[in-house]
């Protein structure tokens, strides 16, 4: 396939700011934006997919997100021992979104490998 071109990277909270993604796409000509993130159960269910689709449509590019799988609170383990770090429950749902805002593929909250074909021609078509 054709090379992906420039790829922009943000972090979890950056996806909330359209200006950051716009700068990556306009100034650096990014065709793909990647955001690793760990939204919680409240903001994840309400905003995670919505923001991904919004950034993809805003910038007519692919948006790829990687999120940690959801884990059980160590206090609910059989031995009842707390973990080394305070527990954080991630929403999960790693996703690939097309420039049209369509979900190309995604996983749920469980551990998974997300694989998708990226058709960079779609970016070029959208930006004409």
């Amino acid at each position: 396939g054709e090379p992906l071109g420039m790829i922009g990277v943000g972090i979890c909270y950056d996806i909330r700011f359209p200006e950051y993604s716009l700068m990556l796409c306009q100034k650096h000509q990014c065709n793909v934006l990647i955001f690793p993130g760990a939204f919680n159960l409240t903001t994840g269910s309400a905003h995670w997919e919505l923001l991904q689709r919004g950034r993809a449509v805003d910038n007519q590019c692919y948006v790829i997100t990687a999120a940690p799988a959801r884990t059980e609170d160590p206090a609910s383990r059989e031995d009842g021992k707390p973990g080394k770090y305070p527990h954080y429950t991630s929403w999960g749902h790693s996703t690939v979104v097309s420039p049209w805002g369509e979900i190309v593929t995604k996983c749920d909250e469980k551990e998974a490998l997300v694989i998708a074909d990226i058709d960079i021609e779609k970016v070029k078509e959208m930006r004409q």
Side-chain angles (χ1 to χ4, degrees), residues 3-8 24-25 27-33 120 127:
L4 297 178
M6 295 296 287
I7 298 173
L24 289 173
C25 290
K27 184 175 180 183
H28 301 287
Q29 292 79 47
C30 293
N31 295 323
V32 177
L33 300 177
I120 211 64
R127 291 179 176 174

Side-chain angles (χ1 to χ4, degrees), residues 73-107:
D73 186 338
S76 66
R77 295 183 344 193
E78 280 184 29
D79 63 9
K81 294 180 182 176
K84 182 176 179 182
Y85 302 103
H87 183 71
Y88 180 84
T89 303
S90 171
W91 173 244
H93 296 82
S94 297
T95 309
V96 178
V97 181
S98 79
W100 190 249
E102 298 167 326
I103 302 299
V104 176
T105 190
K106 71 177 181 177
C107 65

Side-chain angles (χ1 to χ4, degrees), residues 1-5 31 116-122 124:
E2 188 173 331
L4 297 178
N31 295 323
D117 288 322
I118 303 293
D119 182 0
I120 211 64
E121 283 299 316
K122 288 187 178 185
K124 293 175 182 177

Side-chain angles (χ1 to χ4, degrees), residues 57 60-61 99-100 121-128:
V57 171
Q60 300 170 326
C61 69
W100 190 249
E121 283 299 316
K122 288 187 178 185
V123 175
K124 293 175 182 177
E125 290 170 16
M126 291 292 300
R127 291 179 176 174
Q128 286 183 353

Side-chain angles (χ1 to χ4, degrees), residues 5-111:
M6 295 296 287
I7 298 173
V9 179
I11 58 169
C12 186
Y13 198 61
D14 293 335
I15 201 167
R16 290 192 172 279
F17 303 100
E19 299 84 2
Y20 178 72
S21 296
L22 187 65
M23 182 270 304
L24 289 173
C25 290
Q26 287 187 349
K27 184 175 180 183
H28 301 287
Q29 292 79 47
C30 293
N31 295 323
V32 177
L33 300 177
I34 299 175
F35 294 93
F39 277 40
N40 64 35
L41 298 181
T42 302
T43 59
S45 62
H47 301 152
W48 185 234
E49 184 177 307
L50 174 71
L51 289 167
Q52 293 172 63
R53 294 179 74 193
R55 295 301 78 83
V57 171
D58 289 347
N59 298 287
Q60 300 170 326
C61 69
Y62 281 91
V63 170
I64 300 171
T65 58
R70 195 171 306 158
T71 58
E72 292 182 28
D73 186 338
S76 66
R77 295 183 344 193
E78 280 184 29
D79 63 9
K81 294 180 182 176
K84 182 176 179 182
Y85 302 103
H87 183 71
Y88 180 84
T89 303
S90 171
W91 173 244
H93 296 82
S94 297
T95 309
V96 178
V97 181
S98 79
W100 190 249
E102 298 167 326
I103 302 299
V104 176
T105 190
K106 71 177 181 177
C107 65
D108 58 17
E109 74 283 358
K110 298 176 185 75
E111 186 175 333

